[in-house]
Amino acid sequence: MTQARDYLVVDELTKHFGGLAAVEKLSFSLDRGQILGLIGPNGAGKTTVFNLITGFLPATSGRVTFRGESLMGKKPHQIVNQGLARTFQLVKPFPELSLSDNIRVACYGPRFMSQGLDEEAARHRILEVAEQVGLPDDLDQPASSLGHGDLRLLDIARALMVQPELLLLDEPLSGLSSIETQAIVGLIQALNQEGITLLIIEHKLKELMKVADRIVAIDFGQKLAAGTPQEVVNHPAVVEAYLGTKDSYASA
Amino acid sequence: MELIQEIIIFGTIKGCVYALIATGFTLIFAVAGILNLAHGTFYMLGAYFTYTLFYVLGIPLPPAILLAAVLVGALGMLLDRVFLKPMRSSHTYVLVLTVAVAFAAQEIILLTYGSQGMNIPNLIEGSVNLNGVVVSWHQLLIVAITAVVLIMLWLVLTRTRYGVATLAVSMDEDGARLVGIETEKVFNLSMFASAFLAAVAGALISPIMSMTPEMWNMPLMKAFVVVVVGGIGSLTGSIMAAFFLGWLETFTGFVISPKLTEVVSLVLLTVFLVFRPSGILGRRLH
Amino acid sequence: MLANLKTPAQRHTAIFYGLIMVGFYFVPVFSDNFYLLSVFTTAYFYIIFATSWDVFAGYSHLMNFGHALFIGIAGYLTAFVDLHLGLPPLLVLPMCAVVCGLLGMFIGYLTLRMQGPYFAIITMAFAAVAYESAIMFSEYTGGEEGIPGIHPLTDSLIGDYYFVLVVMSLIFLFLLWFTRGRWGLVLKAISQNEDAVLASGINTAWVKIRAYSISGALCGIGGSVYAYSLTHVGPTSMEQVLSTTILIMAMVGGMGTITGPFLGALILVLFNELSRDMEEYRLLIYTVMVVVIIFFAPRGIVSWGQPIARAFKLGGKRGQAGS
Ligand SMILES: Nc1ncnc2c1ncn2[C@@H]1O[C@H](COP(=O)(O)OP(=O)(O)OP(=O)(O)O)[C@@H](O)[C@H]1O
Ligand SMILES: [Mg+2]
């Protein structure tokens, strides 16, 4: 059994793009079973943090550990196979593949294959995941025929297919209608109930505050505040950086 | 001593031709992301059009070259408008289509002119003795024309509206579109310039090297080398690399063995692609 | 495999290609015309080259402009082993497969980071280096002339015909099996969005290297049989024109489908041969036709399969011909 505290630890993480410090000495940690929100204005470095944690970008310095094991220097697919999956801010489906094939791709990684599951089991699991996230019934249609909201669901379904313990969602609610938003908020809660730990980047603070146990706010790659949703959203530095005004989202 | 002079002089002449070929190739790659495998075809057409205008229509050589280059430039725009525009974002399509066009053009030239080598006369006859090295006036003229053409290109790119727009598109296409630059027009004009430059090179070389329907292969290969060595998308890098290649080839031919001249490009190409894919000046690739 | 043919469209596709294949086996029954058989044999070679090209390049959209490298390497290897060691073809073929497979793996490794155009240039360069080397090291390779006198595969034309046909059939079936399963899906996914495949826990680099290696190995087998069949190998076996022809055939047929390059190679070789009496216009028509097909059907001839099937009220709704 792995420890519940300090499940994922980000320690002095730094990323420079040439002269630009996208992430600067950022530290935070996440306990097992928690939902942590990561917020910050546009260009604050949130997606870069995800890319660093998941191995899509090499860090300039600093460390990330997951269940006590360092993730530094690991390739994205290796990190996924440790149980850490992600979605993308710009949804990245396989447009010409059918919905079920989009999800099926994730069956062919070692994490799924090593369980000795056959095609039948894969098909079963695909249907299960598709239903869980609420994809349309016709799984034979190509992904290119989906609308934006369904593409987000598809991306989440693909990530769920690797049976993650920790799921990183990059703006899962952006561009969604209010019905779709409610559906995904419900999904996030359900996943957390199942025992999945989540790290969520989101601009829609109202919804994020409903689900998050804790929130970390960053700007210019540096931490502004961390704590309970209420604490963070009312933190003066956050209010100023995030809103530029004194209106608080918490009261919105 | 004389050997060094010879290498510098003849290498420079070669470098000029390579620079004319490669700047256009780089330009359209940097601007539109098109790796144009029909680039050598423009060079070939430049030579054959000049030949026709001069011998068949009796137009004097200098205007014939200019007219040929303009015609080839227009063909370049046509290629871009008709064939490439619909699927410019697909590298696969662009590569295969342009190579197919190159082969089709080769067949058309073969049917029209036959396979025997042909030449056009020098722009100026005669030669000079430069410190013991005999150079033809035509070769010196190639250097002068290249200098003029490249300076003009530089002026156009830095001093005119379309030039600045072109540079902007080559740096950031979406950004350029956002600030209201008509990228379509930029692509088209770049294609014109690219084809024009290649055609000038083809016309200038054909008094020295015979034109054949297969002549498009050589410049294409050189363009690859120059572009890769110079750093993809860097015009300055391309020009530097063109002269570097010219000198290195001439050195190899004079000092080691003429048989190895053609291998030089290949070795450079492979070494750079494997060990330094960003070229001398290029940005690092991901 | 038949269990996978769920939709009527897939069954019709299978029947279509099955009939063509069976037809090939009966050609010698109807005619032992030397010319006809050698035309078909040529087509089988190009089918091997184009379909083996497709399993990597067609699926990954990394344009391999130097596929003939494998043909040449396998050809020279065959010549050396046959003339100096006297090994039988059934040993030489696997050997060529292994050597070309490893070569593919090596090149795949070197070129891993490269994308689109860069990949095209470097594959072209590797083949050109091999071509120039074959001419330069003439003591071993016979220079421009190449190496003659390779022992023939069998002692009859019909024997050779069937040998090539069997090799081609096996390669074609293997490729269909390979690409219709998980690897085909993963390769297609990589070509559409590599990041999402990585995020699904799949080592995309390794998948691509493996596909390139298979592509090389199968082409190596083809190249070896090609050298045996011509009883000769020379630098032309890795010429740029050959590489380009292979890629054009695959594109005309339809990349990333295996059946597309099969059709593309078959149709273009047959057209090229049957149009011989058009004399000098032949190549012009050929090249212009290629440009026109690529322009109007960038997804290749196989993309016409569905509309045609529908016109004859054959097919089901979705699913491409070839899938
Ligand atoms: N690959 C890259 N190369 C160079 N700069 C980058 C790269 N990725 C991100 N950046 C820069 O790093 C900064 C942080 O970007 P990031 O995408 O992490 O922001 P973000 O917080 O996710 O913003 P948003 O809310 O708009 O998604 C930005 O200034 C961005 O331009
Ligand atoms: Mg972001």
Side-chain angles (χ1 to χ4, degrees):
Chain A
M1 207 63 239
T2 53
Q3 80 273 35
R5 288 196 58 79
D6 293 342
Y7 191 53
L8 178 81
V9 179
V10 172
D11 184 21
E12 304 252 298
L13 196 61
T14 301
K15 177 71 190 179
H16 292 177
F17 292 113
L20 175 82
V23 177
E24 183 72 35
K25 296 221 156 114
L26 181 68
S27 303
F28 64 86
S29 68
L30 171 56
D31 294 345
R32 192 184 157 116
Q34 262 192 339
I35 299 182
L36 178 69
L38 182 60
I39 65 170
N42 288 105
K46 305 179 296 292
T47 300
T48 307
V49 170
F50 266 28
N51 286 335
L52 294 171
I53 296 177
T54 53
F56 278 84
L57 283 174
T60 308
S61 67
R63 268 157 59 84
V64 178
T65 52
F66 178 51
R67 294 185 306 196
E69 233 179 283
S70 171
L71 296 182
M72 304 324 287
K74 292 218 166 100
K75 299 265 161 51
H77 63 94
Q78 293 170 321
I79 293 174
V80 174
N81 291 316
Q82 295 201 345
L84 199 163
R86 71 171 292 180
T87 63
F88 294 93
Q89 178 176 358
L90 301 168
V91 271
K92 297 185 171 185
F94 312 115
E96 290 172 23
L97 300 184
S98 70
L99 300 191
S100 59
D101 281 349
N102 260 272
I103 311 175
R104 179 172 287 119
V105 169
C107 296
Y108 296 139
R111 196 172 163 78
F112 202 90
M113 295 302 281
S114 65
Q115 301 173 8
L117 295 176
D118 57 4
E119 288 288 333
E120 195 47 50
R123 200 165 318 168
H124 189 73
R125 176 98 182 107
I126 290 168
L127 289 175
E128 214 175 80
V129 168
E131 184 171 339
Q132 185 182 17
V133 303
L135 277 173
D137 286 339
D138 178 12
L139 292 182
D140 288 333
Q141 61 180 313
S144 55
S145 66
L146 290 188
H148 181 73
D150 284 338
L151 285 177
R152 285 235 175 264
L153 293 177
L154 186 61
D155 202 21
I156 296 176
R158 184 195 46 68
L160 285 179
M161 205 56 198
V162 301
Q163 300 175 318
E165 296 175 28
L166 171 59
L167 182 58
L168 277 58
L169 301 176
D170 196 343
E171 302 198 16
L173 305 178
S174 84
L176 299 192
S177 71
S178 65
I179 297 176
E180 289 168 330
T181 303
Q182 288 321 310
I184 294 202
V185 167
L187 176 62
I188 290 172
Q189 282 164 334
L191 292 174
N192 190 236
Q193 293 285 304
E194 281 178 21
I196 297 180
T197 312
L198 289 115
L199 176 55
I200 304 172
I201 296 177
E202 191 45 69
H203 282 298
K204 291 187 177 168
L205 292 191
K206 213 171 106 198
E207 278 72 21
L208 185 63
M209 288 176 64
K210 263 190 237 162
V211 296
D213 298 307
R214 287 175 59 243
I215 285 183
V216 172
I218 64 173
D219 197 10
F220 299 109
Q222 286 172 314
K223 186 155 79 178
L224 293 177
T228 66
Q230 286 298 335
E231 280 167 16
V232 171
V233 181
N234 292 316
H235 194 285
V238 176
V239 173
E240 186 169 340
Y242 208 84
L243 306 168
T245 69
K246 290 288 169 194
D247 296 333
S248 164
Y249 259 57
S251 56
Chain B
M1 213 33 230
E2 195 158 293
L3 185 68
I4 297 178
Q5 274 183 21
E6 272 181 325
I7 291 173
I8 292 179
I9 293 172
F10 291 115
T12 305
I13 295 164
K14 249 190 177 180
C16 285
V17 178
Y18 293 168
L20 284 178
I21 295 167
T23 38
F25 190 70
T26 308
L27 184 68
I28 195 66
F29 186 82
V31 170
I34 292 174
L35 190 78
N36 177 16
L37 297 183
H39 192 68
T41 305
F42 297 147
Y43 168 95
M44 170 177 81
L45 293 180
Y48 278 98
F49 282 8
T50 307
Y51 179 93
T52 311
L53 293 173
F54 177 72
Y55 279 115
V56 181
L57 301 180
I59 299 173
L61 209 43
I65 292 179
L66 193 65
L67 189 57
V70 170
L71 284 174
V72 175
L75 276 180
M77 283 167 84
L78 197 71
L79 175 75
D80 183 53
R81 280 255 169 102
V82 177
F83 286 112
L84 302 185
K85 192 177 159 193
M87 293 194 56
R88 211 180 262 133
S89 60
S90 161
H91 286 305
T92 325
Y93 171 81
V94 168
L95 286 169
V96 180
L97 191 97
T98 51
V99 82
V101 165
F103 277 110
Q106 172 181 336
E107 290 309 318
I108 293 172
I109 293 296
L110 180 66
L111 276 180
T112 321
Y113 298 91
S115 60
Q116 79 286 8
M118 307 190 306
N119 289 94
I120 49 179
N122 289 323
L123 273 167
I124 314 175
E125 293 302 332
S127 53
V128 278
N129 189 324
L130 287 181
N131 240 346
V133 184
V134 179
V135 188
S136 74
W137 277 112
H138 183 81
Q139 286 173 317
L140 287 182
L141 206 60
I142 290 182
V143 178
I145 293 176
T146 306
V148 171
V149 169
L150 290 184
I151 289 171
M152 271 167 50
L153 179 71
W154 182 74
L155 287 176
V156 168
L157 283 179
T158 52
R159 300 290 156 85
T160 67
R161 248 183 70 226
Y162 276 120
V164 175
T166 305
L167 290 181
V169 173
S170 77
M171 284 173 217
D172 180 357
E173 188 185 324
D174 294 326
R177 199 172 282 134
L178 279 179
V179 300
I181 292 172
E182 294 170 79
T183 50
E184 264 321 305
K185 238 177 210 163
V186 169
F187 290 162
N188 247 273
L189 287 173
S190 305
M191 202 63 176
F192 178 89
S194 174
F196 181 93
L197 290 169
V200 170
L204 289 180
I205 201 76
S206 22
I208 303 168
M209 281 163 59
S210 303
M211 40 179 133
T212 67
E214 272 124 42
M215 70 189 281
W216 58 278
N217 283 299
M218 185 281 284
L220 190 59
M221 191 50 157
K222 304 298 177 195
F224 287 157
V225 182
V226 168
V227 160
V228 166
V229 172
I232 300 203
S234 160
L235 281 180
T236 333
S238 293
I239 293 170
M240 280 166 55
F243 286 102
F244 177 62
L245 180 65
W247 290 321
L248 194 65
E249 281 189 356
T250 315
F251 172 83
T252 312
F254 280 14
V255 179
I256 306 173
S257 153
K259 272 208 288 192
L260 290 180
T261 347
E262 289 313 302
V263 188
V264 171
S265 341
L266 280 177
V267 173
L268 268 184
L269 185 59
T270 340
V271 167
F272 265 83
L273 276 173
V274 173
F275 295 106
R276 197 172 158 69
S278 55
I280 306 176
L281 291 186
R283 299 155 264 173
R284 266 208 83 66
L285 309 167
H286 289 294
Chain C
M1 271 191 69
L2 283 171
N4 284 332
L5 304 172
K6 285 170 300 231
T7 68
Q10 285 169 330
R11 274 195 297 277
H12 290 130
T13 316
I15 293 170
F16 176 70
Y17 291 98
L19 283 179
I20 295 182
M21 280 307 235
V22 171
F24 287 161
Y25 280 87
F26 282 99
V27 170
V29 176
F30 297 110
S31 162
D32 56 358
N33 177 296
F34 174 82
Y35 174 67
L36 185 77
L37 292 187
S38 64
V39 168
F40 272 100
T41 311
T42 309
Y44 303 156
F45 281 122
Y46 278 95
I47 289 175
I48 296 176
F49 301 152
T51 52
S52 64
W53 178 91
D54 196 43
V55 66
F56 170 75
Y59 277 84
S60 69
H61 284 232
L62 286 164
M63 294 309 271
N64 176 359
F65 267 80
H67 199 49
L69 172 70
F70 299 117
I71 303 174
I73 297 285
Y76 280 99
L77 185 64
T78 302
F80 287 127
V81 181
D82 181 67
L83 296 177
H84 298 300
L85 304 179
L87 296 181
L90 287 182
L91 261 174
V92 178
L93 293 189
M95 205 165 126
C96 288
V98 170
V99 169
C100 289
L102 290 175
L103 181 66
M105 206 171 266
F106 176 67
I107 297 180
Y109 172 75
L110 283 181
T111 56
L112 213 56
R113 295 159 300 157
M114 288 172 196
Q115 290 168 351
Y118 306 83
F119 188 83
I121 299 181
I122 191 143
T123 45
M124 218 180 279
F126 277 129
V129 168
Y131 175 84
E132 295 291 341
S133 313
I135 290 178
M136 240 165 21
F137 300 107
S138 50
E139 300 156 58
Y140 309 103
T141 60
E144 307 246 11
E145 313 286 297
I147 308 174
I150 302 174
H151 294 95
L153 281 168
T154 67
D155 45 20
S156 73
L157 177 68
I158 296 205
D160 272 19
Y161 177 90
Y162 278 115
F163 194 103
V164 180
L165 179 54
V166 167
V167 171
M168 184 276 272
S169 315
L170 291 177
I171 289 178
F172 184 55
L173 284 177
F174 170 80
L175 285 173
L176 284 179
W177 169 80
F178 182 77
T179 53
R180 297 309 182 256
R182 38 198 277 237
W183 296 117
L185 180 64
V186 172
L187 280 165
K188 262 194 185 147
I190 291 177
S191 77
Q192 293 174 32
N193 186 345
E194 184 161 354
D195 280 351
V197 182
L198 273 173
S200 306
I202 293 169
N203 186 348
T204 53
W206 177 230
V207 172
K208 282 193 280 185
I209 290 181
R210 179 152 39 179
Y212 201 10
S213 170
I214 289 175
S215 172
L218 296 180
C219 186
I221 296 176
S224 177
V225 180
Y226 191 51
Y228 273 121
S229 159
L230 299 174
T231 68
H232 169 267
V233 66
T236 49
S237 66
M238 32 194 180
E239 259 183 341
Q240 185 55 55
V241 190
L242 183 54
S243 291
T244 312
T245 308
I246 292 170
L247 153 160
I248 284 178
M249 286 172 168
M251 181 103 177
V252 163
M255 281 172 36
T257 59
I258 302 295
T259 46
F262 175 95
L263 276 189
L266 182 63
I267 291 172
L268 289 184
V269 169
L270 292 185
F271 175 84
N272 195 23
E273 294 297 333
L274 299 181
S275 59
R276 284 224 177 270
D277 41 353
M278 291 189 239
E279 312 251 336
E280 68 260 47
Y281 292 101
R282 181 175 63 103
L283 280 174
L284 177 64
I285 294 171
Y286 181 90
T287 47
V288 170
M289 184 179 82
V290 164
V291 172
V292 169
I293 295 180
I294 294 173
F295 179 63
F296 285 107
R299 286 163 171 272
I301 294 175
V302 283
S303 64
W304 300 339
Q306 273 326 100
I308 291 176
R310 256 201 305 279
F312 288 94
K313 304 216 184 325
L314 279 173
K317 36 175 193 137
R318 251 176 217 107
Q320 296 174 349
S323 57

